[in-house]
Each structure stands twice: as C-alpha cells, then as structure tokens.
Amino acid sequence: VIELGTPERSVVTTCAYCGVGCSFKAELNGDELVRMVPYKHGKANRGHSCVKGRFAYGYATHKDRILNPMIRDSIDQPWQEVSWDEALSFAANRLRGLQEKHGRKSIGVITSSRCTNEETFLVQKLTRAVFGNNNTDTCARVCHSPTGYGLGQTFGTSAGTQDFDSVEHTDVVIVIGANPTDGHPVFASRLKKRLRAGAKLIVIDPRRINLVKSAHIEASHHLQLRPGTNVAVVTALAHVIVTEGLFDEDYIRDRCDWDEFLTYADFVRDPRHSPETSEGLTGVPAEELRKAARLFATGGNGAIYYGLGVTEHSQGSTTVMGIANLAMLTGNVGRKGVGVNPLRGQNNVQGSCDMGSFPHELPGYRHVKNGDVRAIFQDIWGVEIDAEPGLRIPNMLDAAVDGSFKGLYCQGEDILQSDPDTKHVAAGLAAMECVIVHDLFLNETANYAHVFLPGSTFLEKDGTFTNAERRINRVRKVMAPRNGYSDWEITQMLANAMGAGWTYSHPSEIMAEIAATTPSFAGVTYDLLEEKGSVQWPCNEASPDGTPLMHVDGFVRGKGRFIVTEYVATDEKSGPRFPLLLTTGRILSQYNVGAQTRRTDNVIWHDQDLLEIHPHDAENRGLKEGDWVKLASRSGETTLRAHLTDRVSPGVVYTTFHHPDTQANVITTDFSDWATNCPEYKVTAVQVSLSNGP
Ligand code: SF4
C-alpha cells in the first residue's frame, strides 16, 4: 500500500485512451498529479477503470516530452529550438509559399482521434477556411471510417445505436472482430457481468480471445473464421435466418424498406451463401454457424458489438452493412438491450468523425457538395468553402510521391508508425517540402518534419471527448500546459499566422460555434455539461437531455435500408511464398503504437510485441517458444519473438503493434476498404522463419 495522503485538490476529467470514455478524479498536491481515481458519478464507467486510465499517465511529465518549438530547413539538418512566433511564422510562410507555387490544394492536414472535439473542429476549419481546400483527414480513416460509411448507408448516421447501460438488458450478444477485455476493458466488465447473469455470447473472431472462455464465462459459439471472410460469415448467418423463417417480418415491414428487404432476402437465400457452401471458404463449421444464427434470431434481445477486426479489411464497409442487415433482420435496433455498437478504439474517434474531419464531410456528417450546408459555415466564417471533397490520407501520400501534394500539418498522429506500408508513407513524407508535426514526442513521423510544434496532453487542456456511446464528456485542465499552450491555442496561432484573425479565448466558445452549425450538437453547452455531467448526442431542441438510444421511432434516414453484401475476396492471398495469414490486435496494458503507455513506468513489464503462432506451424518451421523469428510479407520484414499458442488456428499468426522496434506496419500492405480506403491491417500473407534476432 502506498500512502499518498489527502490530496489538496482534485479535477474531474476524462480518460484519453479508449472509446469507453471513463471519468476520473485527478488528485493533486500542489501542481503534482498524485493519482487518478475512477469517478463514481462517471456515466460511462460508474466508478470503474482499467490499468491504462488509472496508472498510465506518467507520459505527461516524461523526460521525452518536447517542450519548445523547433524548425529546420531540410530533414538532413539538425533541429533548432526557436520561439513560438518564429516557428509559426516559419510554418505559415512555407505553407503559403507552397500554395502560391503549387496551388491551394497542394497542402493539407491530418488530425487525431486523440484530440478534443473543439481542437478537431478548429483543425477542419483551418483546412477549409484558411487553407481553402478540403484536404483534411483523421486517423479514424485507418480504423472506423467503414463504420461511418456502413451505418450511414443503412441507418442514416454514423454512430453506435445504444448506450453502454443497454448491455444490462441484452439476452444474446455477438462480439465480432473485437477483443473488449483488452481493448475496452471497462465495457468488457459490464458485458461479462451480464453474461454471468445468463446472457448468451457468440464470438466471431479468428483468434480465441479471452471472452470465448474465462472465469464463469463461456461463449455458446466461437465462429473461428479465416481472416478476411467476415462478409461470408455474416451473410451465411443471414441465410439461415431468412431460409428458416426466423426474421422479424413485422419489424421489417414497419421500420425498413420492404422492397429492399425482398431484394436482400433473395440474395442471401441463394445456396451459395449457405453455411455448408461457405464452410470451405470461412473455415467455420456449418452446423456451428446454423446454431449461432438460430440463437441470435430467437434468443430475445440481440446486440452486436464490433471493432477493428470488422472495419480494417478490404470489405470493412461491406461487413458493417452486413451487421446492420443482421440487426434489422432480427428486429434488433431501437430499444434497450439491442443494437449495433462499434467499439471505438481511441478516446475520440466518434467525436473526430462528428466534427467534420473527413475530406468529404462538414461537421455533422454533411457532404461538402451540399450548398445549403456550406452556406451555414460560410455565413459564420466569412469565406467560401470548396465544394469538392479533398484528399484522404493515402491519396495525400500518393499525391506527394507524384509531386502535387507538398505540405502537411500532422496533429497528434504518428503516421509513419501507425499507417500501413511504412515504405510508402516514408516516400510520401520525404517528397513533401513542409511537414509540420504537432505532437508530444519526437515521433517517427518527425524524422521527416521541418517544423515541430510541441503538443499538450489531455491533462493540460479544456474541451470535450465523445465516447463510443455518443456521450460528450468534459475534459478539464488539471495542470498548466508544460509546453506553454493547449493544442487548440496552437492551431489558432497557426491559423492567425496565416492571416485568419481568430479570437477564441476558451474552448466553450468553440463549442458554441459547433452548436450553432451542427444540428446534433445544437443544445450542447459547457453549462449543460456541468449540470448533467455528460450528454449523448443528438442533443437539441427535440432531445434537450440527449439521446441514449437512437432509431427508437424510426431510423435517422427514415426507413432502414437493407444492402446486398456480396463477398469479394481480398487481393491479399496466401500462397507458397507467404503461406500464413497475419492478423493484429492489442493488449490490455499497452495502447496503439505505445507512445504514451511505453513512457509510463507502470506498464514496463510488457516490453515487446510477440508473434502468436500455432504449435503445428511452429513445429513445421523448427520454432520453439521465445525463439526470434523473421516475419516477412510482400511489403517488408521484421523480427520478433515467437509465442506458441492454440489461440490462433493453424495457418494464422497474430501480433500486436505497440513497439516501434517491431514496426509491424512494415509488413502490412496498401490494400484498403473499397469505400473508405481504411487499410486492410487485419489480413497480410506472411512467412515465418527462424532468425538470429534483430
Ligand atoms: Fe481509459 Fe478505456 Fe481503460 Fe476506461 S477502459 S480507463 S477509457 S483505457
């Protein structure tokens, strides 16, 4: 027991790791943060937390933090510390110079789902109102952009349909392509409590995740599919439900487009979608799949939770639509205990997408081509907004290699480490003439930067995050920014260095602008958040207290839309040279590329990424537990230690991507989702062989 004494003061704020959005009391003595205590009134966590939120905050005061701006003429020169004024005018002059020489569309922005809503709103405003283009994208591109497309097409809006409380009313749960016990631990605890009370569980995952069997919990069915076959499995489930007459006809007639349902039903009824036909492709035993489909259709309230194992595929958007079809087919949208729930990986993926950080959408998911919507922003901003969608992250990198994209402001995102096909990302960055990295640490992307703007942590800023249940939580400044400014102030200073004349003095003023321009946030104010603790959007005149459940009386788009989900095999195929399929994920104590968690003493016990390999595949290669192995794909190769386990099937290997030494994304390919360009991180054909180590 460590005696910390009674803290002098405390500040309630929101965890900056995953999309659960747990509330914490940050307790301080003087300016020193002594502990993070889970906040019992936090509506997302109700006094619970995981190891990351509770202990992994030491990165805020880590010696690696860069606290002063730096510039350099070219990337082969050493960094030079300068004043904020000098750094910002250097950056502004370079960006303006590039636009004068190469056109206003030659520069753009990548922002992060780690940033607050207010910061994200300002960054897309910077792009649209100051740069004069729509070249703004977010790291949600590489995680949940297919959720945006898929749920937008089927239900009419890109958001989870339920609140977390809803899980307490569910009877049968599908968890597909998600590992909540590691990725969303506090939600997983609530789910496990419900499972212990008798709810049934169907897990669809290539790997035997902990939920399949752990203390007092055992899934009724684990459909251990081959990586890349989600669409075929989901369609086979629908085939059983339709051909055995288990669909909810009354619900569909009342709530959905009946003609589109008939087209969809004809499609899934085809014998080529039967579990027996698809078994050879998916690897899922037909009888197991039939039983799972019957359980979901007849087991009472059915809820579906999914993660990046759904979205990060060449058919990520198709699977999201297939999941939405499955929910509508069984009448499982629009009341407590049911629904479609994307488990957002980062703290503010939902908010980042809500705030218009995609190149085709203004805040509130409204297309930039819509003149009426542009007019709302133009009236307030006093500038014309380009009607043409801008470039997505991969398009920016392609255009940089081709020579037409020259400058990038990259806020809170280490694209060199986290985006796929590292060599291509490096080539794109190297070809640019002005790369501005705005971050806490000198990350891998900063190797290619000309300007480094030191960022602030979540402890050093005011704002809001929106969690996976659309809950807008307050982020409160716990300590003064060690770098001198909160991130929203830095973006404002850059905009003003380029001539904008912005005068925000507090993020509440930015929220007022969000509310004035974005219908789903129309009723959100900082006063309301103080009064209620948090609210779930839509929060407006029609729902002044927010909206825990969506699509209750009807879908946002009107009638729910069934969409035919044809399976198309990924171009990434295993073969004699690369016979295994690699998939990736994360562990409880680490977070994404580890920039924060690796700089926190509490988690040093997990010091490397491991390659999980089935004992048969290991034996065939003469590998033993702990051996160094070379992991090679068509894109590149890396070295890591082997962990022999039957959690993965023969033919499948698995690793995490938390450590820069591993560089897991040297391996991944540039294949991506057909609709959104979300990279296909979850399927890479690889070979594994014994190695002498790095
Ligand atoms: Fe933070 Fe997520 Fe853990 Fe909650 S579950 S403490 S939001 S990392």
Side-chain angles (χ1 to χ4, degrees):
V1 175
I2 302 169
E3 187 51 63
L4 293 169
T6 308
E8 292 170 6
R9 62 188 176 99
S10 64
V11 180
V12 175
T13 191
T14 304
C15 178
Y17 281 113
C18 86
V20 176
C22 297
S23 298
F24 281 86
K25 245 187 346 175
E27 296 190 342
L28 296 108
N29 283 330
D31 288 335
E32 187 192 358
L33 176 60
V34 291
R35 61 186 164 193
M36 296 287 278
V37 179
Y39 186 50
K40 65 180 177 185
H41 301 300
K43 289 180 182 161
N45 58 317
R46 301 188 185 282
H48 295 278
S49 78
C50 82
V51 64
K52 293 188 286 283
R54 184 86 195 262
F55 298 116
Y57 55 83
Y59 66 88
T61 48
H62 195 275
K63 62 176 175 47
D64 288 354
R65 280 275 303 270
I66 304 291
L67 301 175
N68 296 308
M70 301 188 295
I71 58 173
R72 56 185 175 182
D73 267 331
S74 61
I75 61 173
D76 54 3
Q77 291 183 350
W79 285 109
Q80 183 193 348
E81 273 190 17
V82 294
S83 68
W84 276 99
D85 279 350
E86 202 172 339
L88 291 162
S89 78
F90 181 91
N93 288 339
R94 278 220 169 182
L95 292 175
R96 281 292 186 229
L98 289 172
Q99 287 191 299
E100 279 159 21
K101 200 162 154 201
H102 303 283
R104 74 187 150 82
K105 297 194 180 183
S106 63
I107 64 173
V109 163
I110 298 173
T111 183
S112 168
S113 304
R114 314 299 310 279
C115 297
T116 63
N117 288 319
E118 293 78 1
E119 288 159 358
T120 308
F121 185 87
L122 278 201
V123 168
Q124 62 86 34
K125 179 174 176 177
L126 170 78
T127 315
R128 295 183 161 118
V130 182
F131 291 3
N133 63 47
N134 285 304
N135 292 335
T136 184
D137 209 355
T138 161
C139 61
R141 168 73 50 213
V142 301
C143 66
H144 266 289
S145 51
T147 291
Y149 183 84
L151 297 186
Q153 292 290 312
T154 49
F155 296 163
T157 194
S158 165
T161 63
Q162 308 300 117
D163 57 0
F164 290 148
D165 287 353
S166 187
V167 77
E168 285 154 27
H169 302 264
T170 195
D171 300 307
V172 52
V173 179
I174 291 179
V175 173
I176 172 169
N179 182 7
T181 48
D182 284 87
H184 303 86
V186 167
F187 170 71
S189 298
R190 298 183 75 172
L191 171 60
K192 286 196 279 190
K193 187 173 165 204
R194 183 64 191 159
L195 296 174
R196 282 195 290 271
K200 303 286 186 230
L201 174 66
I202 299 161
V203 172
I204 305 175
D205 201 290
R207 184 167 169 266
R208 198 181 68 240
I209 58 173
N210 286 335
L211 269 185
V212 172
K213 192 168 186 181
S214 56
H216 309 298
I217 290 171
E218 184 160 4
S220 301
H221 305 283
H222 176 203
L223 310 185
Q224 195 164 10
L225 75 175
R226 286 201 183 92
T229 62
N230 283 332
V231 171
V233 168
V234 170
T235 305
L237 289 168
H239 172 93
V240 176
I241 292 166
V242 169
T243 56
E244 296 190 7
L246 304 176
F247 56 93
D248 188 337
E249 182 173 339
D250 290 346
Y251 179 95
I252 297 166
R253 281 189 183 279
D254 183 35
R255 302 286 304 270
C256 306
D257 185 308
W258 181 251
D259 289 340
E260 281 174 330
F261 164 70
L262 292 178
T263 304
Y264 175 72
D266 278 349
F267 164 72
V268 297
R269 232 183 248 118
D270 192 304
R272 70 197 165 96
H273 299 307
S274 76
E276 290 72 19
T277 309
S278 60
E279 180 175 333
L281 169 71
T282 65
V284 177
E287 195 48 31
E288 192 73 9
L289 193 145
R290 281 192 178 277
K291 286 181 185 164
R294 289 169 192 147
L295 173 62
F296 187 69
T298 63
N301 282 344
I304 305 174
Y305 294 87
Y306 71 88
L308 304 185
V310 161
T311 54
E312 291 178 342
H313 287 274
S314 60
Q315 283 203 288
S317 292
T318 314
T319 308
V320 172
M321 294 189 290
I323 287 170
N325 290 339
L326 214 49
M328 291 187 288
L329 206 51
T330 50
N332 278 316
V333 184
R335 62 181 189 281
K336 268 205 179 298
V338 301
V340 174
N341 305 284
L343 293 170
R344 309 290 191 156
Q346 297 189 324
N347 52 322
N348 202 33
V349 175
Q350 181 68 59
S352 175
C353 301
D354 300 342
M355 290 299 106
S357 56
F358 285 131
H360 66 295
E361 279 175 343
L362 286 153
Y365 303 100
R366 292 164 296 169
H367 206 282
V368 293
K369 282 188 185 300
N370 185 326
D372 293 341
V373 175
R374 285 201 315 280
I376 296 169
F377 291 89
Q378 287 168 176
D379 280 353
I380 293 178
W381 294 351
V383 294
E384 282 290 306
I385 297 173
D386 194 339
E388 284 306 306
L391 298 174
R392 299 169 172 176
I393 295 172
N395 307 136
M396 290 183 201
L397 294 165
D398 290 346
V401 170
D402 292 347
S404 58
F405 188 82
K406 295 289 185 180
L408 177 68
Y409 171 36
C410 189
Q411 185 191 57
E413 175 69 354
D414 188 1
I415 58 170
L416 192 66
Q417 208 188 156
S418 58
D419 281 38
D421 197 355
T422 306
K423 279 187 207 160
H424 183 62
V425 178
L429 288 168
M432 294 182 205
E433 292 176 26
C434 180
V435 175
I436 303 164
V437 167
H438 175 171
D439 216 302
L440 302 177
F441 306 106
L442 215 43
N443 60 23
E444 301 293 311
T445 305
N447 290 327
Y448 293 87
H450 307 85
V451 181
F452 186 90
L453 303 178
S456 53
T457 71
F458 78 109
L459 297 166
E460 299 163 325
K461 59 176 82 162
D462 278 298
T464 54
F465 293 150
T466 307
N467 77 354
E469 51 170 359
R470 294 170 280 104
R471 183 179 299 286
I472 304 161
N473 277 312
R474 272 285 269 120
V475 179
R476 293 184 180 85
K477 194 185 276 189
V478 172
M479 54 179 73
R482 293 180 64 219
N483 55 323
Y485 297 99
S486 298
D487 290 328
W488 67 269
E489 294 175 288
I490 296 165
T491 301
Q492 172 160 272
M493 291 191 296
L494 178 60
N496 288 345
M498 295 183 76
W502 295 353
T503 56
Y504 304 103
S505 61
H506 189 268
S508 57
E509 296 167 11
I510 305 170
M511 181 56 82
E513 190 168 312
I514 295 168
T517 52
T518 310
S520 52
F521 276 66
V524 180
T525 64
Y526 276 34
D527 287 345
L528 184 78
L529 295 173
E530 287 303 322
E531 180 195 326
K532 303 219 171 275
S534 60
V535 289
Q536 290 165 274
W537 68 256
C539 173
N540 47 31
E541 206 176 352
S543 307
D545 295 330
T547 310
L549 305 181
M550 292 198 79
H551 315 298
V552 172
D553 298 320
F555 286 95
V556 167
R557 70 177 302 279
K559 293 283 187 185
R561 183 175 171 213
F562 284 90
I563 294 180
V564 167
T565 50
E566 192 72 64
Y567 168 75
V568 179
T570 171
D571 287 335
E572 179 66 359
K573 306 223 183 324
S574 57
R577 214 170 132 220
F578 301 108
L580 306 173
L581 289 179
L582 171 75
T583 189
T584 58
R586 56 191 190 203
I587 58 171
L588 170 64
S589 57
Q590 293 283 5
Y591 187 77
N592 284 5
V593 297
Q596 284 85 32
T597 47
R598 282 187 294 101
R599 292 185 172 96
T600 302
D601 288 345
N602 312 80
V603 290
I604 54 171
W605 57 85
H606 290 294
D607 62 352
Q608 58 187 327
D609 294 313
L610 299 174
L611 183 78
E612 290 188 2
I613 183 167
H614 192 277
H616 290 321
D617 289 328
E619 188 181 357
N620 287 342
R621 289 161 175 76
L623 304 176
K624 299 186 304 301
E625 177 72 21
D627 278 346
W628 282 109
V629 294
K630 182 171 90 174
L631 177 67
S633 73
R634 291 178 188 88
S635 300
E637 61 183 54
T638 187
T639 310
L640 65 176
R641 288 194 187 274
H643 173 50
L644 278 53
T645 175
D646 63 1
R647 273 183 186 275
V648 289
S649 305
V652 176
V653 290
Y654 164 90
T655 190
T656 51
F657 45 80
H658 300 308
H659 296 273
D661 293 348
T662 310
Q663 290 201 320
N665 284 322
V666 168
I667 300 297
T668 48
T669 68
D670 61 357
F671 296 126
S672 64
D673 175 48
W674 64 271
T676 66
N677 277 136
C678 180
E680 188 167 53
Y681 289 114
K682 301 298 183 188
V683 190
T684 308
V686 294
Q687 179 58 290
V688 176
S689 55
L690 193 61
S691 157
N692 293 327

